[in-house]
Amino acid sequence: MTGAGSLVAANYIYNKAERDGTIIGNWIGPLVLQQILGNKAAKFDGRKFGWLGVPTADSGVCALTTASGIRNMKDWFASKRPIKIGGTAPGSTTDDVPKIVRAAIDLPLKVIEGYSGTAKIRLAAESGEIDGGCWAWESIKPTWAKALQSGEVHIVLQTMLESNPELKDVPLAINYAKTDETRQLLGVVDGPYGVLARPYSVPPGLPAERLQMLQKAFMDTLKDPELLAEAKKSKIEIHPVDGATISNKVADLYQMKSGLKDKLRDIIMPKTTHTM
């Protein structure tokens, strides 16, 4: 079910889908943050979904082309112009994460929105239209492999709180944070755009026994040797996170202090999508 960056699917699962376990939703986790911040189009309460888990958490990074002139963070901070980062639409990782990073560590960048997906962002970067983009390493590694191997593209920054084992030499954005507020902003990135980036859920009100059965089946499937072998052939990362962990992460988001919510609202949400 497509529409509004998977918001149509999230609203459908919450409000209209049968509550018997036969319908499972897969929509982007940052929509939970949008609802918390006051997006009137998000007609759900994230705490009430039945969370099954995620196949793997996203490790957020920023990838820039060699043609951009930026090879490392020293170059980026010293840039005399805003580095152009490709984005899809507000509420997505490609848009929200660079905006939060820009606000937190005063990085010179400009988000160019309107691309239909990360494939279009890659093409625009390769043509010189933009300088790169920020999204999951797990996606960039297989889809931009040739450019990474040739040195035409560099991973210059990690936006999560912990370093990906494959990117130990790439600095973390939080290392450049200078205040508690900026560290809190970057801490938010680790949830909706990391562990919660692509969750699977069922509607609220599912009987507890059935939810537990589906949660177990979800995790068992993601540990199946044949599935893991196929994923390896396709260069797809699988490091599953269970439903209980997702549920706890979502609950933590709803405990966010009002001051931090106000700051995030100003950074990532168009004024027309929320009430003040």
Side-chain angles (χ1 to χ4, degrees):
M1 181 177 290
T2 60
S6 78
L7 181 58
V8 170
N11 284 338
Y12 177 83
I13 291 293
Y14 189 86
N15 296 291
K16 295 184 179 180
E18 294 293 330
R19 273 116 167 98
D20 58 6
T22 60
I23 299 179
I24 296 172
N26 178 220
W27 41 279
I28 61 170
L31 292 176
V32 174
L33 180 60
Q34 288 276 316
Q35 191 273 328
I36 291 170
L37 296 182
N39 186 337
K40 294 177 288 185
K43 301 183 185 302
F44 56 78
D45 183 328
R47 293 165 292 191
K48 296 180 180 180
F49 283 103
W51 298 103
L52 304 186
V54 296
T56 193
D58 279 4
S59 300
V61 299
C62 291
L64 301 180
T65 63
T66 298
S68 70
I70 309 298
R71 289 178 173 269
N72 52 49
M73 289 305 292
K74 183 179 178 181
D75 291 341
W76 199 343
F77 278 115
S79 177
K80 302 297 183 184
R81 66 177 180 89
I83 299 305
K84 293 183 286 185
I85 299 295
T88 53
S92 67
T93 296
T94 58
D95 290 52
D96 292 359
V97 170
K99 289 176 184 178
I100 293 171
V101 169
R102 177 179 61 196
I105 63 176
D106 197 25
L107 199 58
L109 69 84
K110 180 179 181 181
V111 177
I112 309 298
E113 296 175 338
Y115 294 97
S116 60
T118 55
K120 295 295 186 182
I121 292 173
R122 292 197 313 272
L123 289 172
E126 289 170 1
S127 71
E129 184 177 306
I130 55 176
D131 299 304
C134 301
W135 68 93
W137 167 243
E138 290 77 12
S139 170
I140 289 174
K141 183 172 68 168
T143 59
W144 227 348
K146 289 183 179 178
L148 288 166
Q149 291 165 6
S150 68
E152 294 172 26
V153 170
H154 301 274
I155 306 298
V156 298
L157 185 67
Q158 298 188 73
T159 58
M160 304 286 87
L161 297 184
E162 293 184 8
S163 181
N164 184 290
E166 297 178 326
L167 301 169
K168 289 295 186 184
D169 294 331
V170 179
L172 296 165
I174 199 158
N175 291 345
Y176 300 101
K178 296 179 180 178
T179 67
D180 286 341
E181 180 183 69
T182 55
R183 280 186 282 272
Q184 288 171 5
L185 282 173
L186 293 169
V188 171
V189 171
D190 204 54
Y193 309 99
V195 176
L196 303 177
R198 308 168 198 278
Y200 284 76
S201 66
V202 292
L206 203 68
E209 211 172 86
R210 189 165 298 181
L211 174 59
Q212 290 166 7
M213 180 186 70
L214 289 171
Q215 289 173 328
K216 182 180 184 301
F218 184 85
M219 294 301 290
D220 287 348
T221 299
L222 292 171
K223 295 174 183 177
D224 179 77
E226 290 186 20
L227 182 142
L228 292 174
E230 287 298 317
K232 187 175 182 179
K233 285 181 187 177
S234 302
K235 298 182 179 179
I236 296 173
E237 301 276 348
I238 295 192
H239 303 290
V241 181
D242 63 38
T245 299
I246 299 302
S247 183
N248 289 336
K249 289 281 187 182
V250 169
D252 287 345
L253 282 175
Y254 279 85
Q255 299 301 314
M256 191 186 305
K257 293 181 179 178
S258 58
L260 182 57
K261 285 198 285 188
D262 290 342
K263 184 70 174 177
L264 280 167
R265 194 178 290 118
D266 289 341
I267 294 169
I268 66 174
M269 288 185 68
K271 300 297 184 184
T272 56
T273 63
H274 63 84
T275 55
M276 299 303 293

